[in-house]
Amino acid sequence: TQLLEQSPQFLSIQEGENLTVYCNSSSVFSSLQWYRQEPGEGPVLLVTVVTGGEVKKLKRLTFQFGDARKDSSLHITAAQPGDTGLYLCAGDPQAAGNKLTFGGGTRVLVKP
Amino acid sequence: DVKVTQSSRYLVKRTGEKVFLECVQDMDHENMFWYRQDPGLGLRLIYFSYDVKMKEKGDIPEGYSVSREKKERFSLILESASTNQTSMYLCASRGLLYRTDTQYFGPGTRLTVL
């Protein structure tokens, strides 16, 4: 079974600070997706990274896929209270099938 | 706007009851999934289906069954609900063509079994 480890599990910061969330595995993934989930809602896709070394920016969010496609990071610059939520990474294994492997999630709290 | 809808947002049932959770997607997706989400345990796959009438067990299928009679609808059934099945249940769907296809989630059903 391929596993994705997310760290940290919980992050509490002040508005305006930066934060980074990590998603690591010993397995290779053909693509990796990042989701944000707000309380009482389902996860919503933020970005998909496909190529090793790829960097994608979404306003104040920067996503990076490791060169070996085993790890990824999400960096938020100047965090705002609206960034509060559960961040999930999900990897698409190289093997056939359409099941994503999810990390355990990082709960982010941005205090005003 | 793409949509995955779940029949209930909140549900309270008694131990031993049969529970049906319904999920409908409007994107003509082949793949549909049922997860449960518990604090500290993340998202765990219960069952998934890659076509009508096809199903495969996920990581935690015990105590659950599923039904997919139509492409757009995927039902999760708890034959005899137990208190340890109290959880948030999330349905999702995903296309088949591309590995980068987005997986869309429904809003979730918070089930409490008393």
Side-chain angles (χ1 to χ4, degrees):
Chain A
T1 304
Q2 293 175 293
L3 294 174
L4 273 172
E5 300 279 343
Q6 274 188 251
S7 62
Q9 288 186 311
F10 180 71
L11 206 49
S12 178
I13 60 170
Q14 293 295 135
E15 182 175 1
E17 293 181 342
N18 302 331
L19 68 97
T20 302
V21 176
Y22 299 94
C23 179
N24 294 299
S25 176
S26 57
S27 304
V28 177
F29 292 97
S30 62
S31 68
L32 200 134
Q33 304 181 355
W34 283 93
Y35 293 81
R36 180 169 66 213
Q37 184 180 18
E38 298 186 15
E41 301 293 332
V44 175
L45 181 73
L46 295 173
V47 79
T48 301
V49 285
V50 179
T51 307
E54 182 177 2
V55 177
K56 277 193 175 176
K57 285 182 181 283
L58 190 67
K59 296 184 181 177
R60 293 175 294 99
L61 279 61
T62 302
F63 304 85
Q64 187 159 7
F65 202 13
D67 291 340
R69 291 185 289 135
K70 293 182 179 181
D71 54 84
S72 183
S73 64
L74 155 62
H75 182 79
I76 302 180
T77 304
Q80 298 176 1
D83 296 323
T84 292
L86 178 69
Y87 289 82
L88 295 160
C89 64
D92 194 340
Q94 295 225 53
N98 282 280
K99 292 186 295 178
L100 296 177
T101 298
F102 280 86
T106 296
R107 194 162 295 281
V108 171
L109 174 63
V110 183
K111 293 181 277 191
Chain B
D1 199 16
V2 297
K3 267 240 165 52
V4 179
T5 55
Q6 294 184 229
S7 50
S8 305
R9 294 297 299 270
Y10 300 93
L11 213 49
V12 180
K13 295 291 181 180
R14 298 214 171 268
T15 302
E17 279 193 78
K18 191 168 185 175
V19 182
F20 292 87
L21 301 182
E22 300 274 321
C23 175
V24 177
Q25 52 99 358
D26 65 0
M27 294 162 282
D28 202 35
H29 282 165
E30 292 80 6
N31 300 290
M32 296 187 75
F33 308 85
W34 274 106
Y35 297 88
R36 63 177 283 177
Q37 186 176 32
D38 301 286
L41 295 175
L43 277 169
R44 292 182 292 168
L45 182 65
I46 304 171
Y47 267 98
F48 71 103
S49 169
Y50 51 88
D51 203 350
V52 175
K53 297 192 187 293
M54 306 302 286
K55 61 185 178 185
E56 282 200 25
K57 293 179 181 179
D59 301 317
I60 51 162
E62 296 77 21
Y64 303 94
S65 62
V66 290
S67 172
R68 192 157 180 211
E69 296 296 318
K70 292 185 178 181
K71 191 175 185 180
E72 67 270 18
R73 189 178 298 268
F74 192 33
S75 303
L76 179 69
I77 303 148
L78 286 66
E79 295 289 342
S80 178
S82 63
T83 55
N84 63 13
Q85 291 178 310
T86 290
S87 187
M88 169 73 118
Y89 290 87
L90 289 162
C91 175
S93 74
R94 190 179 184 204
L96 187 62
L97 285 178
Y98 303 107
R99 303 207 74 80
T100 56
D101 279 352
T102 299
Q103 181 157 310
Y104 294 93
F105 285 87
T109 296
R110 186 163 292 284
L111 172 67
T112 301
V113 183
L114 302 173

